[in-house]
Amino acid sequence: MIRKIIHIDEEKCNGCGACAEACHEGAIGMVNGKAKLLRDDYCDGLGDCLPTCPTGAITFVEREAAAYNEAAVKANMAAKAASEGHAIGGGHGMAGGCPGSRMRMMKREGMALKDAGNTAAGTSAPASDVAGARGPVQSQLANWPVQIKLAPVNAPYFDGAKLLIAADCAAYAYANFHQEFIRGKVTLIGCPKLDDIDYSKKLTEIIQNNDIKSVTIVRMEVPCCGGLEMAAKRALQNSGKFIPWQVVTIGIEGNIIE
């Protein structure tokens, strides 16, 4: 029969796995790092996967395809759930997709460090020393993936988020980065020098398509990091939204410059 069904452009697919996560029928899987339509009769043609694709690799086409088979889908999903629950012990794994780029949300509770009373402004050393004395410091990261290139534009964690756009070197340079910057925010990172791309288009789409409450840009003092700041500012301007924003610059010695 001729019907509407998805088509995946492998050239555009970056292997993030967001579409496989969004497909409730298990019609999409990751094969050799690329999204694939596994079976025509698993695809209901509703396109839940379309808005999650960060590269626009998924479109609708009309072609000869097997009819949607709800019974086969339910049987497949039940078998998959049983398999994952046995393999992982409780079924907490993620079905399909590259584990390194599949979308995840982490719930962080009870991670606030009490004020030690001796943290000097503009330096991270005292805070990190106190945290270390109290034992291991827990991550404050609440979303995955964090790379700007991999983040799905319509990921649910963007709804009502305080957005942190950070240079990937910043977390290494500033010791208390998780507590002071990542905590309570959705994090996106990048390096305009190494990626050699303009992030502004992707960031514009994220800001336009989601209810972003604020934007914090954390960059390093080195000149190449200016590309990240400019991309974020351009995205804010192009989005047409009025959103509170700030820029924080980290020195290579680990201090806050501004």
Side-chain angles (χ1 to χ4, degrees):
M1 63 180 295
I2 302 294
R3 71 179 183 95
K4 185 170 68 174
I5 196 167
I6 65 162
H7 170 74
I8 303 173
D9 186 337
E10 290 190 17
E11 294 298 320
K12 292 183 178 180
C13 177
N14 67 2
C16 72
C19 57
E21 174 74 17
C23 181
H24 302 298
E25 287 71 35
I28 301 176
M30 304 304 294
V31 179
N32 296 325
K34 296 287 186 178
K36 297 277 189 181
L37 177 60
L38 301 178
R39 282 179 48 165
D40 287 359
D41 60 344
Y42 285 177
C43 178
D44 59 8
L46 297 179
D48 288 343
C49 55
L50 266 71
T52 67
C53 180
T55 64
I58 305 176
T59 56
F60 274 128
V61 297
E62 287 195 2
R63 63 170 175 83
E64 182 73 30
Y68 173 61
N69 189 334
E70 184 176 3
V73 167
K74 288 182 178 179
N76 176 59
M77 296 305 288
K80 184 180 292 186
S83 174
E84 288 177 355
H86 175 73
I88 301 172
H92 296 297
M94 298 174 294
C98 171
S101 56
R102 292 286 304 280
M103 183 182 68
R104 293 190 64 181
M105 300 171 65
M106 287 79 80
K107 189 174 182 180
R108 303 295 186 186
E109 294 180 346
M111 295 188 179
L113 288 177
K114 294 181 180 179
D115 184 5
N118 64 346
T119 302
T123 179
S124 59
S128 61
D129 289 346
V130 170
R134 294 179 179 177
V137 179
Q138 280 189 294
S139 170
Q140 294 294 326
L141 189 66
N143 62 284
W144 189 269
V146 295
Q147 287 286 345
I148 296 173
K149 294 191 299 182
L150 298 180
V153 170
N154 292 308
Y157 48 69
F158 285 127
D159 184 33
K162 295 178 179 178
L163 185 61
L164 170 66
I165 302 172
D168 49 15
C169 295
Y172 291 93
Y174 194 72
N176 208 32
F177 195 81
H178 275 247
Q179 288 296 329
E180 294 188 34
F181 295 110
I182 293 181
R183 184 182 180 188
K185 297 182 179 68
V186 168
T187 303
L188 293 177
I189 68 171
C191 175
K193 185 172 184 178
L194 294 182
D195 287 342
D196 194 26
I197 61 172
D198 182 2
Y199 296 124
S200 60
K201 181 178 179 181
K202 180 69 173 289
L203 293 174
T204 298
E205 292 178 4
I206 290 172
I207 295 171
Q208 282 181 332
N209 291 298
N210 298 281
D211 180 24
I212 303 297
K213 298 300 185 183
S214 66
V215 175
T216 299
I217 305 158
V218 180
R219 55 163 294 182
M220 296 297 296
E221 65 173 317
V222 293
C224 57
C225 231
L228 183 67
E229 178 181 346
M230 290 299 102
K233 288 180 177 178
R234 194 178 303 118
L236 284 163
Q237 182 178 16
N238 293 341
S239 72
K241 294 183 177 181
F242 179 77
I243 299 174
W245 61 275
Q246 63 172 328
V247 178
V248 179
T249 300
I250 306 295
I252 58 175
E253 294 185 1
N255 58 311
I256 293 179
I257 295 178
E258 57 181 66

